[in-house]
Amino acid sequence: MLPPQKKPWESMAKGLVLGALFTSFLLLVYSYAVPPLHAGLASTTPEAAASCSPPVLEPEAVIRANGSAGECQPRRNIVFLKTHKTASSTLLNILFRFGQKHRLKFAFPNGRNDFDYPTFFARSLVQDYRPGACFNIICNHMRFHYDEVRGLVPTNAIFITVLRDPARLFESSFHYFGPVVPLTWKLSAGDKLAEFLQDPDRYYDPNGFNAHYLRNLLFFDLGYDNSLDPSSPQVQEHILEVERRFHLVLLQEYFDESLVLLKDLLCWELEDVLYFKLNARRDSPVPRLSGELYGRATAWNMLDSHLYRHFNASFWRKVEAFGRERMAREVAALRHANERMRTICIDGGHAVDAAAIQDEAMQPWQPLGTKSILGYNLKKSIGQRHAQLCRRMLTPEIQYLMDLGANLWVTKLWKFIRDFLRW
């Protein structure tokens, strides 16, 4: 006898119930993984008096100025404000390698690969945080809150960040984050960026979900109001405050020169600042911003433009103080060493599309809906001397964080869901 057949309505009902449960689960995870944008400035941690104590033991270093000779000890206490779409993932890899090499203590996020961005940073967000805890390196994405960060590191910590031409940053951010900014969904299927810039106010709501990605993102990441009137005196006050707080502001467009200045500031070795370009996006089929559209993008991000102009000027003053000829020599040495490592480490010598990456451990995190971020294949045969360094230099951020002991359960769950749904 044939087994009794299920009634169609029973199968449909079960499908609806399972679908509702799964959808609810996704919404729950997403609400945890993406905090509300307008949560306001994070309150200072209640135990604010219990700042970093006792200090991490480190010999007092003499910071060299103007290229003057003199012995100094490598700096090991570093705060890196990781700004978005500024080659910051490449710099993050440099810090991961240095910290791992010297067994330094990182302040990691808890559950995710960022400190509940876009809400403000708070000490309580640090994995295994205890009042009075002291760390050597803080370097994951956050919305900056100086007092909260200051309380986690010794008084001699070096503060650094990196900026990028605001029009170029906006272009990159628009392509990368556009799919998670709902107001951009009504743009036509052609050149969405050009259409947006023709009438930004039509597609931008400062209170909209994830809107911060599409205007003055640098100002936002630094912890300031990215909707300020550009003529407000607060703008210049904030820029001068950044100058007081950060020992070095790097520029993405002059990344090698920036690393030479950083190496000198931190008293590091050349090997410490070697790098491969990580988290790079495949060239867009849409032409890059130029002419009128470049000007529109600059004007749309005027707060960031003021910020960038100020630190572009101060950057070149630092280069002058360092010495132009000396800078040229050290940049050449860095590029030569990077090229040498490229021939030693990278199969084919260049970055490849995600589909061509053979090792899952080398797969970079991709934006929703597309696999536009390039990665690398590690050579099959690398000498013992370079094998460890090559792997570390090529390891993407998420995998490296897990290697260092960060608890990324939310990020891993979100990846599983995305892979399952083929997002």
Side-chain angles (χ1 to χ4, degrees), residues 174 187 191-199 286 289 293 296:
F174 184 93
L187 290 162
D191 188 345
K192 294 186 177 183
L193 181 56
E195 185 178 345
F196 178 93
L197 287 172
Q198 292 300 330
D199 188 8
V286 178
L289 289 177
L293 287 180
R296 285 178 176 271

Side-chain angles (χ1 to χ4, degrees), residues 258-276:
S258 294
L259 288 182
V260 169
L261 291 179
L262 181 66
K263 180 174 75 73
D264 186 67
L265 174 66
L266 300 178
C267 200
W268 285 7
E269 300 296 328
L270 179 62
E271 181 180 293
D272 295 326
V273 295
L274 298 180
Y275 72 92
F276 298 130

Side-chain angles (χ1 to χ4, degrees), residues 309-342:
R309 280 199 294 268
H310 180 94
F311 285 101
N312 182 59
S314 67
F315 179 86
W316 292 108
R317 287 196 295 270
K318 290 179 185 293
V319 171
E320 289 292 343
F322 184 84
R324 290 272 185 172
E325 291 185 5
R326 182 183 172 206
M327 175 61 73
R329 290 196 304 270
E330 297 215 16
V331 165
L334 173 60
R335 290 174 178 171
H336 176 77
N338 280 337
E339 188 58 34
R340 178 171 176 269
M341 291 305 299
R342 179 179 297 276

Side-chain angles (χ1 to χ4, degrees), residues 406-423:
N407 174 15
L408 303 183
W409 73 269
V410 174
T411 299
K412 288 191 288 185
L413 179 60
W414 186 237
K415 181 180 184 305
F416 172 79
I417 293 170
R418 286 182 57 183
D419 289 346
F420 178 77
L421 298 175
R422 299 184 183 277
W423 283 352

Side-chain angles (χ1 to χ4, degrees), residues 90-363:
T90 301
L91 192 50
L92 194 71
N93 181 273
I94 290 172
L95 294 172
F96 283 166
R97 291 184 349 243
F98 185 85
Q100 187 174 27
K101 176 181 177 181
H102 296 281
R103 300 182 179 180
L104 303 181
K105 187 177 181 181
F106 288 90
F108 286 133
N110 190 20
R112 300 166 27 163
N113 60 307
D114 61 59
F115 291 104
D116 280 12
Y117 185 89
T119 56
F120 283 93
F121 176 81
R123 274 175 268 184
S124 57
L125 298 173
V126 174
Q127 179 177 306
D128 301 325
Y129 171 74
R130 296 290 182 275
C134 209
F135 299 88
N136 298 110
I137 298 177
I138 306 175
C139 54
N140 289 88
H141 275 308
M142 68 170 74
R143 190 172 185 200
F144 194 56
H145 186 330
Y146 179 75
D147 292 336
E148 289 289 291
V149 173
R150 176 76 270 177
L152 287 173
V153 292
T155 55
N156 66 348
I158 297 293
F159 281 65
I160 62 173
T161 190
V162 57
L163 306 181
R164 182 181 182 183
D165 178 318
R168 297 297 176 211
L169 184 147
F170 170 76
E171 179 180 25
S172 180
S173 182
F174 184 93
H175 287 303
Y176 191 93
F177 295 112
V180 296
V181 184
L183 278 178
T184 66
W185 298 348
K186 58 184 179 181
L187 290 162
S188 66
D191 188 345
K192 294 186 177 183
L193 181 56
E195 185 178 345
F196 178 93
L197 287 172
Q198 292 300 330
D199 188 8
D201 291 320
R202 180 180 177 186
Y203 306 104
Y204 178 81
D205 176 2
N207 298 314
F209 183 71
N210 281 336
H212 62 284
Y213 286 122
L214 298 186
R215 194 172 199 187
N216 297 312
L217 183 54
L218 293 172
F219 233 66
F220 185 89
D221 285 354
L222 283 161
Y224 301 117
D225 180 357
N226 63 331
S227 62
L228 278 174
D229 184 331
S231 63
S232 168
Q234 284 185 282
V235 176
Q236 185 63 16
E237 290 171 9
H238 292 333
I239 291 172
L240 295 177
E241 187 172 65
V242 173
E243 188 168 55
R244 290 194 301 271
R245 290 173 171 176
F246 287 84
H247 298 81
L248 179 63
V249 175
L250 296 79
L251 300 181
Q252 186 263 359
E253 291 80 6
Y254 303 99
F255 196 66
D256 290 343
E257 291 85 352
S258 294
L259 288 182
V260 169
L261 291 179
L262 181 66
K263 180 174 75 73
D264 186 67
L265 174 66
L266 300 178
C267 200
W268 285 7
E269 300 296 328
L270 179 62
E271 181 180 293
D272 295 326
V273 295
L274 298 180
Y275 72 92
F276 298 130
K277 190 175 181 180
L278 300 179
N279 209 36
R281 181 169 54 92
R282 183 175 62 244
D283 288 339
S284 171
V286 178
R288 294 195 70 192
L289 289 177
S290 60
E292 181 190 359
L293 287 180
Y294 177 89
R296 285 178 176 271
T298 300
W300 177 246
N301 295 276
M302 188 51 68
L303 301 182
D304 281 359
S305 297
H306 288 321
L307 179 77
Y308 185 83
R309 280 199 294 268
H310 180 94
F311 285 101
N312 182 59
S314 67
F315 179 86
W316 292 108
R317 287 196 295 270
K318 290 179 185 293
V319 171
E320 289 292 343
F322 184 84
R324 290 272 185 172
E325 291 185 5
R326 182 183 172 206
M327 175 61 73
R329 290 196 304 270
E330 297 215 16
V331 165
L334 173 60
R335 290 174 178 171
H336 176 77
N338 280 337
E339 188 58 34
R340 178 171 176 269
M341 291 305 299
R342 179 179 297 276
T343 61
I344 292 172
C345 302
I346 300 174
D347 188 24
H350 56 81
V352 297
D353 284 334
I357 300 173
Q358 300 161 10
D359 185 348
E360 178 68 21
M362 295 292 149
Q363 280 281 358

